[in-house]
Amino acid sequence: MAAQPVVGPLMMSDPESATTKSSTTQEEDVLPKNLVATLPAREGWSEPLVQYHNYWFRPGHLERILLVKQAFVPRADDIILATQPKCGTTWLKALAFTITNRSRYGFIDHPLLTHHPQHLVPFIQIPGAGTGHTDIDPFGFPRLLATHTPMSLLPPGMRSLGCRVVYLCRDPKDALVSRLHFENKAFPGTDLSMDRCFSMFCKGFSPYGPFWDHCLEYWRESMARPDSVLFLKYEEIKSDPTQVVRKLAKFLGVPLTEEEERSGVAQEVVRLCSFEALTSLQVNQVGRVHFSDNIVMSNSVFYRKGEVGDWVNHMSQEMGEELDRIVQHKLEGSGLVF
Ligand code: A3P
């Protein structure tokens, strides 16, 4: 069965009259566009970033995050896939989509064979059709939604309703290397060096960064509410993907049955979503992902090497050790280690 288009209105209330409105401070009552224009901005990445509540964002993304925070109407059964960019979002989207939709689609004629994972699970924070609307309408329930938004800036209703959140993070050294390549490939005219990216990243200045604060917020929440927040690492999926598929299925409320275990469903999911399988498909080699009118990216840009430890090929041992020291210090006492 072919997947349906994912374009259409999503449930958002009017941000100015919303009864679900969550913001209480005067600052957040300002419409996102006006507020964003007043924030500290800094150049360095492919686009200047603005700082809000300690995090750095592309201005358009922050507008959207604030709009979503004010006006998005969550449902208790929503599933949120949360990541920082370049930590394996595309992979997590493919896995979660395949697991939660496995009773609808067979592996022979699966939507992933003809659709980019980024098309199958929409982002809630990417700029779209304008105030009060998004350009996304995921099919089926529960809704699978993705975001790079820090935990503290998600609509509070998601927490009070107990929406399930899967957070995926990654060794920051590999995430940084992936980021460098993505910036230079996805944004024409950008030519960033490793040294420059490293220096910005180590100061906490990166899109959706500081990297460690983003991880820590979700980590602490996963410790406090393990039934609602599942914390995963890219490296963990790489080392035992079948086990992670089982864990994900259980967390998402659709555990694998004994019959499915016998027939190798977990292994099928792993195979279908593997880097090798996805990159061999035409849909992931040509064409473009239209996030919105002004954000269009080539399908292939979301795949590069898909390996653990590729950082050694792009930064020196000393740089690796320095970043490790910074991250260790920032995470000290939390129990989170990379
Ligand atoms: P590399 O640049 O290290 O290769 P995101 O989806 O968050 O943008 O992350 C992109 C990173 O995930 C890239 O890492 C990409 O190659 C990797 N990736 C994408 N799909 C993958 C898959 N199916 N399995 C493993 N890694 C994948």
Side-chain angles (χ1 to χ4, degrees):
M1 193 191 310
Q4 301 303 305
V6 292
V7 177
L10 185 71
M11 297 61 132
M12 300 274 273
S13 58
D14 178 343
E16 285 180 287
S17 62
T19 50
T20 51
K21 194 166 164 179
S22 52
S23 329
T24 48
T25 66
Q26 260 191 343
E27 182 196 54
E28 287 168 0
D29 278 345
V30 180
L31 276 177
K33 232 186 184 83
N34 301 339
L35 171 65
V36 169
T38 67
L39 296 173
R42 192 186 293 172
E43 292 192 11
W45 295 91
S46 51
E47 181 184 4
L49 305 182
V50 291
Q51 192 177 33
Y52 181 74
H53 285 217
N54 192 44
Y55 287 100
W56 292 97
F57 303 96
R58 294 180 188 280
H61 288 191
L62 178 60
E63 277 168 23
R64 186 57 169 207
I65 285 170
L66 297 177
L67 179 61
V68 165
K69 186 162 183 268
Q70 284 182 344
F72 180 75
V73 184
R75 294 173 44 119
D77 57 359
D78 282 345
I79 294 168
I80 317 299
L81 307 180
T83 55
Q84 283 187 77
K86 314 333 294 169
C87 286
T89 320
T90 313
W91 196 10
L92 181 61
K93 284 184 176 193
L95 287 166
F97 179 89
T98 307
I99 290 167
T100 54
N101 287 288
R102 68 185 190 276
S103 61
R104 303 177 68 191
Y105 306 112
F107 289 105
I108 307 295
D109 191 16
H110 194 276
L112 269 178
L113 301 176
T114 47
H115 291 69
H116 197 289
Q118 298 287 356
H119 271 147
L120 296 176
V121 182
F123 280 112
I124 51 175
Q125 90 286 356
I126 302 288
T131 307
H133 296 89
T134 77
D135 54 354
I136 49 176
D137 183 15
F139 40 90
F141 289 98
R143 299 187 298 188
L144 264 186
L145 303 165
T147 191
H148 296 318
T149 306
M151 183 102 214
S152 52
L153 295 179
L154 286 176
M158 285 183 178
R159 190 177 197 275
S160 51
L161 286 169
C163 299
R164 271 165 298 193
V165 176
V166 180
Y167 185 72
L168 177 62
C169 67
R170 184 181 195 183
D171 182 324
K173 302 188 290 304
D174 283 338
L176 171 58
V177 165
S178 187
R179 173 95 239 161
L180 168 69
H181 286 91
F182 183 80
E183 290 272 320
N184 286 340
K185 207 164 157 198
F187 303 102
T190 307
D191 186 18
L192 290 168
S193 68
M194 184 74 246
D195 283 352
R196 180 145 188 222
C197 285
F198 180 80
S199 152
M200 294 191 289
F201 191 89
C202 287
K203 292 186 182 102
F205 177 53
S206 60
Y208 294 94
F211 186 91
W212 38 86
D213 287 343
H214 200 288
C215 299
L216 265 181
E217 283 195 10
Y218 282 96
W219 170 253
R220 291 197 172 117
E221 202 67 14
S222 75
M223 294 285 110
R225 300 189 303 125
D227 292 342
S228 296
V229 182
L230 177 67
F231 193 96
L232 294 175
K233 291 180 184 162
Y234 183 95
E235 296 75 20
E236 174 188 357
I237 316 184
K238 270 279 177 192
S239 79
D240 195 348
T242 313
Q243 200 49 33
V244 172
V245 165
R246 291 193 183 104
K247 196 192 316 193
L248 257 177
K250 191 165 173 230
F251 178 77
L252 297 176
V254 283
L256 265 60
T257 62
E258 279 179 22
E259 172 50 32
E260 285 180 314
E261 284 288 6
R262 270 196 298 275
S263 58
V265 166
Q267 289 78 1
E268 273 297 300
V269 173
V270 168
R271 194 199 51 75
L272 179 67
C273 300
S274 69
F275 185 84
E276 294 70 26
L278 292 182
T279 51
S280 72
L281 296 168
Q282 202 193 8
V283 66
N284 295 313
Q285 296 166 356
V286 295
R288 287 167 181 275
V289 184
H290 288 253
F291 287 115
S292 66
D293 285 349
N294 56 353
I295 301 190
V296 181
M297 288 178 180
S298 73
N299 284 352
S300 61
V301 85
F302 295 93
Y303 305 95
R304 193 181 60 90
K305 279 198 175 172
E307 288 174 4
V308 170
D310 184 47
W311 68 269
V312 294
N313 299 313
H314 301 276
M315 62 172 95
S316 65
Q317 275 301 327
E318 292 72 35
M319 289 163 93
E321 283 164 18
E322 187 181 340
L323 184 48
D324 280 346
R325 263 196 308 277
I326 292 170
V327 173
Q328 261 169 33
H329 173 66
K330 298 286 182 186
L331 302 182
E332 208 170 319
S334 68
L336 175 59
V337 285
F338 284 102

